[in-house]
Amino acid sequence: MGHSEHVVHVPAGRVTLEGNLSLPPDARGLVLFAHGSGSSRHSPRNRYVAARLNEANLATFLVDLLTAEEERIDQVTAELRFNIGLLADRLVGVTDWLGASPDTSGLRLGYFGASTGAGGALVAAAERPDQAAAVVSRGGRPDLAALALPRVRAPTLLVVGGADTQVIALNRSALVALRCEKELAIVPGATHLFEEPGALDEVADLATQWFLRHLISDRSASTS
C-alpha cells in the first residue's frame, strides 16, 4: 500500500512553517524531524530515513524550523542554526499542532534530530514530557541542550559515527546527564554525515527499532 505525502503549513508563533507529512494508511506512530544547521526538509539523508520509517508504518513529518527568509539570513550569519531556544520553541509549536490535528492526534510522537536539530529536539522533549515518547539523535549536538537534559523523560537514542570523534565525546557527556532510558550507538567508521556505504542504513535500522519499541508497545500494553 502506498501512503500519502503532502505539504502542510503550521502556524508557530508569528511565523508559518512548511513541512512534508507522510501518513501510511495504518500508521502506528509519528516521527517529527528536526533538521540540523544549514539543512532542510529536503535533505536526502533525512528523507531516506523517513522513507524507511514509513515502510515500518510510522508516519513522518519533515518540517523546516526556519522560514525561507530566516534561512537566507542564516546562510550568511549562521546565527539561527545555533539558536536552540528558537528551534525548540518552533518544535513545541509543531508538536502542539500535530496533537490537535485530526490526522495525527491519535499517534504517539517521537523526535528525530540531526546535528543542531537534536539539541532543539531534546529541549522540546523536556518541555513536552507528556507528548514526546521517544528521541533519536543522528550525529547530534545534545550538548547544546545541556540544561534541559536532566528533565528529558522520553527514551533517547544517541547515534554517532565512529570516526566523528569530537561529537562522540559530546554525546558521551550528554549520555551521563540524561536521566531517562538512554543508549549510545556508534556506527563503526562513519563520519559526521554518515556518507559511507551502509552507514545511513545502519542509522535507519537503529531509529526504526527504537521508535517501534517506544511509540507502539507502551500504547498497546496500556490498552490490552
Side-chain angles (χ1 to χ4, degrees), residues 1 3 16 18 41 49 51 56 65 75 88 113-114 126 150 160 192 204 206 223:
M1 280 292 290
H3 61 271
T16 299
E18 207 166 89
R41 71 183 198 276
V49 174
L65 296 175
Q75 290 299 327
V160 191
H192 187 60
L206 290 163
T223 55

Side-chain angles (χ1 to χ4, degrees), residues 75-205:
Q75 290 299 327
V76 179
T77 64
E79 65 193 50
L80 297 173
R81 65 187 67 177
F82 288 106
N83 186 337
I84 299 303
L86 173 70
L87 298 180
D89 282 349
R90 299 272 170 90
L91 271 177
V92 166
V94 175
T95 298
D96 292 346
W97 183 87
L98 290 167
S101 169
D103 285 342
T104 50
S105 60
L107 299 171
R108 283 169 64 84
L109 178 75
Y111 293 129
F112 182 94
S115 193
T116 55
L122 286 160
V123 174
E127 296 292 323
R128 289 290 183 271
D130 295 330
Q131 283 98 322
V135 178
V136 173
S137 160
R138 170 179 69 81
R141 291 289 307 276
D143 55 297
L144 297 172
L147 295 175
L149 292 178
R151 294 188 290 119
V152 174
R153 295 209 317 240
T156 299
L157 171 66
L158 306 174
V159 185
V160 191
D164 198 6
T165 46
Q166 234 179 336
V167 174
I168 290 176
L170 296 171
N171 276 260
R172 284 198 197 283
S173 302
L175 193 73
V176 175
L178 286 165
R179 294 176 185 164
C180 51
E181 182 184 339
K182 59 193 179 178
E183 209 172 293
L184 173 64
I186 295 177
V187 178
T191 49
H192 187 60
L193 295 179
F194 296 89
E195 290 172 313
E196 293 70 26
L200 204 57
D201 280 313
E202 180 73 12
V203 173
D205 287 343

